[in-house]
Amino acid sequence: MKCECSRFRVIEGKSALVDEWLSFLNHHIKETSLTLVDEKIYVEAIFRERNDEGEFLYWFTLEDEGGQKVEESTSWIDQKHLEYWYACIDEDYSSMTLESEVLLIHPDVNL
């Protein structure tokens, strides 16, 4: 089981497109959630931060090893998601990934 939080910088001037992207994912939440099965992701949450350094998106995930990479998916949702990604995420900025040191899960949650 892997639990991590990754930070990615948004390209300056792309805030409105990020609004559209997040709205798209929320509007298609049921279809988007179905893509997590092949990726072996149990929880995925996206957070947004705006500060003096710019705008950032954070992905929190709880997942098993060996899941399908989103780039390998043929799902139209994942393909649209990647279109937004390539248009909005600054690939020249070093992303940051934090791995959990402690992971607490309620005993009634079956993973």
Side-chain angles (χ1 to χ4, degrees):
M1 186 70 57
K2 181 170 68 170
C3 180
E4 62 185 22
C5 184
S6 300
R7 177 186 186 203
F8 303 93
R9 186 178 199 158
V10 172
I11 297 169
E12 191 173 331
K14 297 292 183 171
S15 288
L17 192 57
V18 170
D19 291 341
E20 182 181 313
W21 181 10
L22 300 177
S23 177
F24 168 80
L25 293 175
N26 278 311
H27 183 74
H28 295 92
I29 200 76
K30 190 177 285 189
E31 298 97 325
T32 303
S33 296
L34 291 175
T35 69
L36 301 180
V37 174
D38 290 338
E39 296 172 4
K40 296 186 179 180
I41 295 176
Y42 299 105
V43 176
E44 180 174 357
I46 302 170
F47 299 87
R48 188 177 196 176
E49 176 188 24
R50 293 180 185 110
N51 63 34
D52 293 341
E53 297 176 34
E55 183 173 358
F56 299 88
L57 294 178
Y58 293 76
W59 264 258
F60 169 82
T61 57
L62 179 59
E63 60 189 275
D64 267 340
E65 299 289 335
Q68 178 186 55
K69 295 181 188 281
V70 68
E71 295 87 357
E72 299 169 356
S73 174
T74 59
S75 162
W76 71 273
I77 290 284
D78 283 338
Q79 291 172 357
K80 185 68 176 172
H81 172 65
L82 287 173
E83 281 180 39
Y84 281 116
W85 177 278
Y86 296 130
C88 296
I89 298 299
D90 183 352
E91 297 286 346
D92 294 329
Y93 185 85
S94 291
S95 63
M96 174 188 66
T97 298
L98 304 172
E99 294 186 24
S100 65
E101 296 291 327
V102 176
L103 175 61
L104 301 172
I105 300 174
H106 190 283
D108 290 341
V109 175
N110 297 316
L111 298 176

